[in-house]
Amino acid sequence: MSPAAGASYPPSLKDEESERLVEVVKDWTVGNGLAVRPPPAIVSAEADPRGVLATSVPVTLFPSPFPKVCFEQAKAVQTAYNELYARISQDEEFITQVTRDVIGGDDFIESLWSVHVKVQKEGYVQPISLGLFRSDYMVHQEMGVAEGQEQSVPQIKQVEFNTIASSFGGLSSRTSALHKFLAATEYPLLESVAGQGPYDLPENTSTQGLAAGLQAAYKTYGNSELGHQTCVIFLVQGGERNIFDQRHLEYELQRSSNAPVFRLPFSKILQQTSIADTPKRQLLYRLPSNPSKVFEAAVVYLRAGYGPGDYPNTADWDARYHVERSNAIKCPTVLTQLAGAKKVQQVLATPKPSSQPAELGRFIQEGSKDFQEIWQTFTNIYPMDTSEAGLAARKLALDPEQCQKYVLKPQREGGGNNFYRSAIPPYLKSIPESHWGSYILMELITPPPVTNIILRNGELEQGGVICELGRYGACVWNQKTKEILYNEDAGYLLRTKGDQSEEGGVAAGFGCMDSVNLV
């Protein structure tokens, strides 16, 4: 039996034990790249004008207990999810229908759609797409029947599916390595028997798995017809604090494939790239440090461009169009990014009358194993439009008591965009009713209580926590032929936050990195 199954987990620590663990974790995290650039609240720009400092990522002192059955459920369904979202991105008619429902109240989605329409008119030149996905879940306790007796059966329920900038793959594998290191060297020294182990810590190859997806796309692109050396471009935000997470993927890709990898700020796309005057419209990258060096971009991996903040002016939308119309393999294309909209998740998860097939059956054969496994991960999600279901959801959202069970979500990635419980009615009343249809209403998932100790900025925080499991997937497919060329599970992420926090963003300062201790 794992120590996490007992009431004394995490173990009670003496002051001397806490001090030792803090020192060990601080050094290990920086020494092994489990780090971020420090936030301004810790180190001001004046104190670090050249941005040379790094600090430990917020992390749990112990791996959090997580039901093994739920962990295996998420792992087993990931390749089916990869294929599902590849198929959604291929179904322009479906994306058109879904996008039409939200465009009236969401300028960002409308602008993304406009990029696709513009490229479609002149014709796409690159049929290959790459998806580096992450499906996020929480554990949900449901009453079930086993051997004639009622018992609580834990299941995972999907929070969201990310099709763009699915972060923390580079740091997640290192967090797992940290906890394995502590389990081998430090936990056995604790006075508390509960803390000494044994621990069930699964292997986590998220860095290698995501890099392998990039490598698969890079190989699929092939050699340059123009005689240039091919490369992979990471499109990034300026002043990125979560840089080491991205760097670990770069280093792994360079190690495994020898592909040149370059970081290009989203705001510099038009200055540092050009499109060849050929029918294929190859994307050419000129190295700023040596302009005589010209590379052909085989793959463009977007770690920026997922929210309105990356498009402050028209030139930024021109830059996205510039990349989209090129021959580079995009991760993601605009269509794949739109496939990750919350509205798509809602449409897939909403049951229809028994006389009508579920929308999920449009992509995965209804009644198949993949269909059943995906369907089991869905929670209750409702539209906020003027349909019968949408009008019923509006009543729930505006009711001061009923709204306590829900979260209101816009079509956004990156965290910090949602409205929870009692914040929902006043927010809805503050925006035009014509915009309500661009939101979804999702039933809150209530995970079982877990406690842990978080080390954040050198300080320990102990108490109740909420854990969110992310499962990575890598998929390469052909939009024209519908062929799936590569489809693999790519490791996991566990993010943990205090149980009083609504948002879980690690880089935003809400959550922390964690790993699973299977129970």
Side-chain angles (χ1 to χ4, degrees):
M1 177 71 71
S2 163
S8 57
Y9 190 89
S12 298
L13 299 176
K14 299 183 299 183
D15 290 345
E16 296 83 358
E17 290 176 324
S18 294
E19 289 172 12
R20 177 174 172 83
L21 276 177
V22 167
E23 288 301 312
V24 170
V25 170
K26 281 195 305 184
D27 292 345
W28 194 99
T29 50
V30 174
N32 289 273
L34 186 49
V36 292
R37 295 289 183 205
I42 301 300
V43 178
S44 67
E46 292 79 16
D48 184 25
R50 296 187 180 275
V52 299
L53 299 181
T55 188
S56 301
V57 168
V59 66
T60 55
L61 282 194
F62 296 89
S64 286
F66 198 90
K68 186 173 184 177
V69 63
C70 293
F71 185 82
E72 295 298 335
Q73 183 188 358
K75 183 177 181 179
V77 77
Q78 186 57 42
T79 53
Y81 258 121
N82 293 347
E83 187 166 341
L84 168 63
Y85 275 84
R87 289 179 179 176
I88 292 171
S89 80
Q90 295 162 8
D91 193 332
E92 189 181 335
E93 181 187 356
F94 175 76
I95 295 179
T96 302
Q97 292 171 359
V98 173
T99 304
R100 190 185 297 128
D101 289 342
V102 301
I103 274 179
D106 196 316
D107 294 340
F108 178 66
I109 296 294
E110 184 172 4
S111 296
L112 280 175
W113 181 249
S114 296
V115 170
H116 161 66
V117 170
K118 199 173 174 184
V119 177
Q120 186 189 48
K121 282 181 181 176
E122 64 177 335
Y124 278 92
V125 291
Q126 179 55 264
I128 305 300
S129 288
L130 167 64
L132 296 184
F133 300 137
R134 196 186 71 220
S135 188
D136 292 336
Y137 307 96
M138 284 186 181
V139 175
H140 176 67
Q141 292 287 130
E142 217 169 66
M143 294 308 292
V145 179
E147 299 179 359
Q149 293 184 341
E150 272 202 354
Q151 67 175 25
S152 182
V153 179
Q155 288 187 330
I156 52 164
K157 292 297 179 183
Q158 190 179 63
V159 177
E160 63 183 359
F161 192 92
N162 302 277
T163 61
I164 182 169
S166 303
S167 59
F168 294 115
L171 296 184
S172 183
S173 58
R174 276 157 179 76
T175 308
S176 298
L178 165 66
H179 287 146
K180 286 192 173 190
F181 172 78
L182 295 175
T185 62
E186 295 298 321
Y187 300 157
L189 305 178
L190 297 176
E191 189 174 286
S192 166
V193 175
Q196 293 174 11
Y199 291 84
D200 189 351
L201 308 178
E203 198 66 33
N204 187 8
T205 56
S206 53
T207 306
Q208 297 94 317
L210 293 172
L214 286 162
Q215 182 179 359
Y218 180 71
K219 285 185 174 179
T220 302
Y221 187 89
N223 295 327
S224 166
E225 293 180 5
L226 303 179
H228 298 296
Q229 187 175 3
T230 55
C231 72
V232 176
I233 290 179
F234 280 44
L235 278 186
V236 299
Q237 294 174 325
E240 176 64 73
R241 288 183 49 239
N242 191 31
I243 187 169
F244 303 108
D245 175 49
Q246 300 170 8
R247 287 291 196 188
H248 290 313
L249 295 189
E250 294 176 41
Y251 301 151
E252 178 62 26
L253 178 59
Q254 289 168 315
R255 185 195 65 78
S256 60
S257 69
N258 293 319
V261 181
F262 302 108
R263 296 175 64 80
L264 174 61
F266 195 85
S267 60
K268 299 285 183 66
I269 293 171
L270 295 177
Q271 293 98 302
Q272 295 179 11
T273 69
S274 60
I275 291 182
D277 187 16
T278 66
K280 277 200 170 180
R281 303 199 291 265
Q282 291 93 339
L283 184 66
L284 305 179
Y285 172 74
R286 200 172 292 275
L287 196 64
S289 58
N290 186 355
S292 66
K293 292 278 189 182
V294 178
F295 293 83
E296 183 174 325
V299 180
V300 176
Y301 174 39
L302 280 78
R303 288 297 292 257
Y306 52 81
D310 288 325
Y311 304 86
N313 52 55
T314 307
D316 298 296
W317 284 109
D318 292 342
R320 183 64 187 273
Y321 165 65
H322 175 83
V323 172
E324 192 71 13
R325 70 186 291 265
S326 79
N327 192 51
I329 296 173
K330 274 75 68 177
C331 178
T333 62
V334 165
L335 283 177
T336 306
Q337 183 173 350
L338 288 168
K342 304 297 184 291
K343 184 66 180 176
V344 170
Q345 184 187 9
Q346 174 258 303
V347 169
L348 293 177
T350 301
K352 290 193 171 184
S354 55
S355 58
Q356 296 182 38
E359 202 69 59
L360 179 61
R362 181 179 181 128
F363 308 101
I364 305 287
Q365 184 181 346
E366 195 156 353
S368 67
K369 180 172 177 284
D370 284 350
F371 182 98
Q372 296 297 338
E373 289 182 343
I374 289 172
W375 190 264
Q376 285 174 4
T377 67
F378 290 160
T379 189
N380 293 323
I381 312 176
Y382 306 100
M384 285 290 290
D385 53 24
T386 54
S387 66
E388 185 178 346
L391 293 175
R394 290 182 177 195
K395 284 186 179 179
L396 293 174
L398 291 169
D399 186 290
E401 291 187 9
Q402 294 286 348
C403 71
Q404 302 297 326
K405 303 173 186 174
Y406 296 94
V407 54
L408 185 74
K409 292 186 173 185
Q411 314 300 310
R412 291 289 178 274
E413 301 296 337
N417 301 298
N418 302 330
F419 298 88
Y420 293 81
R421 302 183 176 91
S422 57
I424 298 173
Y427 176 73
L428 284 174
K429 291 171 184 174
S430 74
I431 63 173
E433 197 168 326
S434 60
H435 289 190
W436 290 7
S438 64
Y439 292 78
I440 63 165
L441 190 70
M442 183 174 180
E443 192 170 64
L444 286 166
I445 303 164
T446 307
V450 176
T451 56
N452 209 328
I453 306 168
I454 297 172
L455 175 62
R456 188 191 312 279
N457 299 327
E459 301 289 335
L460 293 178
E461 307 165 5
Q462 181 163 0
V465 296
I466 295 172
C467 301
E468 187 171 313
L469 178 73
R471 196 80 212 181
Y472 295 105
C475 191
V476 179
W477 66 93
N478 188 311
Q479 285 283 107
K480 283 186 179 178
T481 67
K482 318 296 186 188
E483 183 184 3
I484 303 291
L485 305 173
Y486 182 90
N487 184 8
E488 297 290 342
D489 172 82
Y492 83 90
L493 161 71
L494 193 69
R495 281 177 300 175
T496 293
K497 62 185 179 183
D499 58 10
Q500 301 304 307
S501 172
E502 304 285 18
E503 296 292 347
V506 177
F510 300 108
C512 73
M513 299 297 296
D514 198 352
S515 73
V516 300
N517 182 18
L518 298 178
V519 294

